[in-house]
Amino acid sequence: MEGNIAGVIPAYSLFLYIMEYTLEQFADIQILRYYVPGFESLSLRQKKLVYYLSEAALQGRDILFDQNGRYNLLIRRMLEAVYLYYEGDRSTPDFQAMTLYLKRVWFSNGIHHHYGYGKFSPGFSPTFFKKALQEIDASLLSLSPGKSIEALCDEIFPVIFNPEVMSKRVNQDAGADLVLTSAANYYRGVTQQEVEAFYGAMKEPDDPTPPSYGLNSRLVKENGILKEKIWKVGGLYGAAIEKIVYWLEQAMQVADTPGQQEVIARLIAFYRTGDLRAFDAYTILWVQDLDAHVDFVNGFTETYGDALGMKASWESIVDFKDLEATRRTEIISSHAQWFEDNAPVDALFKKEKVKGISAKVITAAMLAGDLYPATAIGINLPNADWIRTKYGSKSVTISNITEAYNRAARSNGFNEEFMYGQEELTLAAKYGDLTGILHTDLHECVGHGSGKLLPGVDTDSLKAYGATVEEARADLFGLYYLGDAKLVEWGLLPDADAYKAEYYIYLMNGLLTQLVRIEPGNHVEEAHMRNRQLIARWVYEKGMPERVVELVRREGKTYIKVNNYKKLRTLFGTLLAEVQRIKSTGDYAAACGLVEHYGVKVDASLHAEVLARYRKLNLAPYKGFVNPVYEAVRDAQGNIMDVKVSYQESFTEQMLRYSRDYATLPAEND
């Protein structure tokens, strides 16, 4: 199993190379297409399973729109109605700006940026939009009984056009009430203090298996009383969840294994009851099901969209195993205990026995919810610490998505603009793709799966800083071990210099190039971006006395120069030890100090320089995807005889089809 696999090119690389994968670019977005090599080789039963799970995935689209903001569904439908049925001049600046705004809303599943969280500026006038709405059939807007276009505009226009109204989807500003100042639709009429007290009262300090309180509900205040509106069949979002359950029931009949059949049954039970103990039961079975070739995630999963890190956004992915590439992650997971034992952290914070670490490389077949159109390249679940400790976790790296990203970045001038010199360019060209993928593998598989909380430490003790600290911990774990000679010995890296490529690219990103994703004058908001800046700025500062890393000015431009890669690795290890201590002990004050000092603030002059250099390249800092289209081929009796996959649909065509065919919720969900 440990043959030399460094530099192995996936069998489908040539397949993807000759296919079109870049579709269009608008605002700060580039739309790509991903392909699903190997789908045709699946058995008919497995194809049907992918098809059913994909339908279950798409039925949840409206849930995420509503979670991201209480007016998102209504605004999306208003925009789509004008886009489809407006009979005026479509070449005017107003209509063109509205079209751009609609595409951004589609991409971000709402009116706030998917990564930066700030609200979009519409670019078209209220006068134009109101007139356009008045000229189309009002029935197309699905208005509440008795509500006029005039009343609709009075209600919605401040949300669209006033930059001060609902300005941030997720607010992380220290000192603010993070609930009241966030536009995400997880709370109504409650304060941060009330939320923390409400869920704090539920917790039992000695409970060894605590549920993730608040994960699947909206917390509201009605008649002065706080109550949860649970997302379940018969509850909030019930109309969408019923359809998800229907398709899961179809999938259960063609499950890959008996174990997967039980996993789906437990997930359905959770959706029907909303019981978080049922969710944990499903999660445990899902972690233990390692035999299924086709796999999936479907449900309320990640908590990045909640400023308090409690409420989970809805997401789904359908995938199947990339058998050749999985050899790489199997090597990593088989040495999970070695990684844990040799980590440069206090033994008090290490797991004595690492359990259930499984990792694989997958081919994504369908993306949905909070994994669409923008998606992760790696996933590690579950998030509950006690389940990870007792039962382990599943880690995946998504091969066809990573391949599409890498292909899109070929020869675009980015590295030539921002890398210090030929040595760095050569490192990136020779090793960059491989070390980037390997860092993701280490991050997801053994990074998130490492370490432990001390007895009695609340899983929510780091509050709003928890997500950033956890991502930093996993990134540092991966960075530290990338430079270990064992990876060369195991055949994961071709030689002892390969790790330098990821070290350089990571620091360049954390100190410089990720700034292209931030509007001038703004701070860093998103947890992954805070994590990367935190790590890069910390090692830069701590390495100053020995000039480990330098910011070098040349011909009016700033570059990163790494002078001592071995010392840099030591610094990564030192920071990992501190971040693990913070996580294990629940040291909120230290988490706050670390994140606020290193991860949040932006140097305005450096930011302006990076933006100017990037602008000349005519690139988009964010990328996302259109999904493939699956068609069930049926016989005269309606039985599925085959499932065909096609890749012709454009971004706009797909979004309009999804809004038509998967409109599962009313515009207002109270």
Side-chain angles (χ1 to χ4, degrees):
M1 188 174 70
E2 295 182 13
N4 191 332
I5 63 171
V8 168
I9 299 174
Y12 54 84
S13 288
L14 180 61
F15 170 83
L16 285 181
Y17 183 76
I18 63 175
M19 303 296 283
E20 177 190 27
Y21 58 89
T22 301
L23 299 186
E24 67 171 299
Q25 186 168 314
F26 55 86
D28 57 357
I29 303 297
Q30 185 180 47
I31 300 296
L32 308 178
R33 192 186 302 286
Y34 69 93
Y35 297 89
V36 192
F39 177 77
E40 289 80 2
S41 299
L42 297 177
S43 68
L44 176 58
R45 179 185 52 75
Q46 289 172 326
K47 287 181 179 180
K48 290 163 70 174
L49 179 58
V50 168
Y51 175 72
Y52 293 144
L53 290 172
S54 295
E55 287 298 306
L58 295 174
Q59 297 293 347
R61 180 177 184 242
D62 278 359
I63 295 176
L64 182 65
F65 267 89
D66 195 75
Q67 288 180 316
N68 284 347
R70 67 182 298 178
Y71 299 108
N72 281 338
L73 285 172
L74 185 54
I75 291 171
R76 189 191 80 196
R77 290 168 187 177
M78 292 165 68
L79 292 164
E80 289 173 344
V82 172
Y83 180 82
L84 286 169
Y85 303 109
Y86 180 66
E87 296 182 354
D89 185 355
R90 291 173 172 250
S91 66
T92 64
D94 271 323
F95 190 88
Q96 293 299 310
M98 189 211 72
T99 301
L100 174 61
Y101 183 80
L102 173 57
K103 287 185 176 184
R104 299 191 77 181
V105 169
W106 280 334
F107 190 89
S108 293
N109 298 290
I111 63 173
H112 298 86
H113 197 281
H114 74 289
Y115 214 77
Y117 300 143
K119 190 169 72 170
F120 300 132
S121 175
F124 54 94
S125 71
T127 301
F128 157 78
F129 196 46
K130 184 174 184 178
K131 186 172 185 295
L133 288 166
Q134 290 171 331
E135 291 177 0
I136 63 175
D137 186 345
S139 66
L140 298 170
L141 301 175
S142 303
L143 299 179
S144 301
K147 180 176 284 187
S148 66
I149 295 291
E150 187 77 27
L152 174 68
C153 294
D154 289 344
E155 178 185 9
I156 299 302
F157 276 27
V159 180
I160 298 176
F161 295 103
N162 187 338
E164 303 302 319
V165 176
M166 296 186 167
S167 59
K168 286 184 179 180
R169 176 162 66 88
V170 183
N171 183 28
Q172 296 284 0
D173 293 343
D177 185 309
L178 303 183
V179 170
L180 292 178
T181 56
S182 295
N185 195 18
Y186 295 122
Y187 308 98
R188 295 275 185 91
V190 296
T191 66
Q192 179 179 346
Q193 184 177 10
E194 288 174 322
V195 173
E196 291 173 346
F198 181 85
Y199 289 112
M202 290 184 176
K203 296 177 180 178
E204 300 177 17
D206 297 326
D207 186 354
T209 60
S212 300
Y213 292 108
L215 189 76
N216 65 327
S217 68
R218 181 190 297 159
L219 184 63
V220 303
K221 184 186 289 184
E222 294 182 352
N223 300 316
I225 299 174
L226 271 65
K227 61 180 291 187
E228 287 187 297
K229 292 191 173 182
I230 307 297
W231 307 326
K232 64 174 184 173
V233 172
L236 193 58
Y237 303 145
I241 295 172
E242 285 178 3
K243 293 187 176 182
I244 294 169
V245 166
Y246 169 82
W247 287 105
L248 288 176
E249 288 173 336
Q250 309 311 303
M252 189 166 61
Q253 299 174 35
V254 291
D256 242 1
T257 64
Q260 186 178 66
Q261 189 174 48
E262 182 61 22
V263 166
I264 297 173
R266 293 294 182 96
L267 177 57
I268 290 171
F270 164 66
Y271 273 140
R272 291 194 183 282
T273 64
D275 182 352
L276 287 170
R277 299 284 185 184
F279 177 75
D280 289 343
Y282 146 72
T283 300
I284 291 166
L285 285 181
W286 177 81
V287 166
Q288 295 174 322
D289 176 28
L290 303 178
D291 297 327
H293 184 64
V294 176
D295 205 353
F296 72 102
V297 172
N298 184 299
F300 305 107
T301 307
E302 302 288 3
T303 59
Y304 300 110
D306 176 13
L308 300 185
M310 300 181 72
K311 306 294 181 182
S313 59
W314 192 90
E315 69 177 44
S316 185
I317 182 172
V318 183
D319 60 83
F320 54 89
K321 189 181 294 187
D322 181 336
L323 294 173
E324 176 63 27
T326 293
R327 292 172 55 212
R328 181 183 72 241
T329 55
E330 287 175 343
I331 292 173
I332 294 171
S333 60
S334 69
H335 291 95
Q337 191 66 56
W338 181 90
F339 284 111
E340 185 77 358
D341 292 343
N342 290 277
V345 304
D346 192 309
L348 191 63
F349 311 136
K350 295 181 182 180
K351 292 176 178 174
E352 294 80 7
K353 185 172 178 57
V354 178
K355 297 180 181 179
I357 297 291
S358 66
K360 60 184 176 180
V361 180
I362 62 172
T363 297
M366 182 61 65
L367 306 170
D370 216 4
L371 287 171
Y372 170 83
T375 187
I377 58 174
I379 301 170
N380 179 277
L381 291 171
N383 291 322
D385 280 293
W386 72 267
I387 296 179
R388 300 166 74 88
T389 299
K390 190 172 182 179
Y391 298 98
S393 61
K394 278 185 183 178
S395 301
V396 299
T397 304
I398 312 175
S399 58
N400 55 336
I401 296 299
T402 301
E403 182 75 7
Y405 280 136
N406 290 340
R407 292 294 180 185
R410 292 283 191 269
S411 304
N412 62 11
F414 180 85
N415 285 348
E416 289 76 8
E417 174 61 40
F418 287 102
M419 288 187 169
Y420 179 72
Q422 189 57 50
E423 179 182 348
E424 290 75 18
L425 286 166
T426 300
L427 277 171
K430 189 174 182 181
Y431 304 117
D433 287 356
L434 174 62
T435 56
I437 291 170
L438 191 54
H439 183 222
T440 300
D441 292 339
L442 291 165
H443 171 114
E444 299 294 350
C445 178
V446 286
H448 282 307
S450 67
K452 67 177 183 180
L453 299 181
L454 293 186
V457 174
D458 189 340
T459 56
D460 296 321
S461 59
L462 301 184
K463 300 181 182 180
Y465 299 107
T468 298
V469 168
E470 175 58 20
E471 292 305 320
R473 194 178 70 86
D475 258 3
L476 286 162
F477 201 95
L479 288 166
Y480 179 78
Y481 277 114
L482 265 178
D484 197 290
K486 280 289 186 182
L487 271 63
V488 179
E489 179 184 325
W490 294 336
L492 293 169
L493 289 178
D495 58 57
D497 286 329
Y499 76 96
K500 296 176 182 178
E502 180 66 9
Y503 276 25
Y504 188 86
I505 291 168
Y506 192 93
L507 290 186
M508 184 179 74
N509 187 22
L511 288 171
L512 288 181
T513 55
Q514 76 168 7
L515 293 175
V516 303
R517 296 182 163 192
I518 299 178
E519 295 292 330
N522 288 353
H523 293 318
V524 182
E525 297 279 355
E526 200 275 335
H528 297 80
M529 291 180 69
R530 285 185 167 190
N531 141 54
R532 289 189 288 267
Q533 178 170 291
L534 184 162
I535 292 172
R537 286 186 60 187
W538 190 94
V539 298
Y540 168 66
E541 179 185 291
K542 301 303 180 184
M544 276 184 178
E546 300 179 54
R547 298 174 60 212
V548 176
V549 180
E550 292 183 278
L551 287 174
V552 178
R553 294 282 294 174
R554 188 178 65 205
E555 298 179 357
K557 296 180 180 180
T558 304
Y559 298 91
I560 305 299
K561 188 172 187 293
V562 178
N563 296 312
N564 191 330
Y565 282 95
K566 289 185 177 179
K567 183 63 176 179
L568 178 56
R569 181 180 184 238
T570 300
L571 289 171
F572 285 142
T574 302
L575 181 55
L576 173 58
E578 172 60 6
V579 170
Q580 183 64 66
R581 184 198 67 78
I582 290 171
K583 170 85 173 183
S584 294
T585 62
D587 189 342
Y588 175 82
C592 174
L594 194 64
V595 174
E596 292 293 337
H597 183 72
Y598 293 103
V600 177
K601 297 179 178 60
V602 174
D603 181 297
S605 59
L606 181 62
H607 189 195
E609 176 202 322
V610 170
L611 288 174
R613 292 164 66 182
Y614 188 78
R615 199 174 298 119
K616 293 178 182 179
L617 299 175
N618 193 33
L619 301 175
Y622 300 99
K623 295 173 175 60
F625 296 89
V626 296
N627 279 319
V629 178
Y630 296 97
E631 180 185 2
V633 180
R634 300 177 185 271
D635 63 16
Q637 289 72 44
N639 301 309
I640 295 179
M641 305 303 295
D642 196 6
V643 178
K644 299 293 186 181
V645 59
S646 62
Y647 305 99
Q648 284 74 46
E649 202 164 40
S650 72
F651 178 68
T652 296
E653 288 170 338
Q654 185 156 104
M655 290 297 168
L656 289 172
R657 179 171 66 86
Y658 284 2
S659 292
R660 182 191 70 232
D661 294 348
Y662 302 101
T664 54
L665 295 177
E668 298 173 280
N669 295 275
D670 295 325

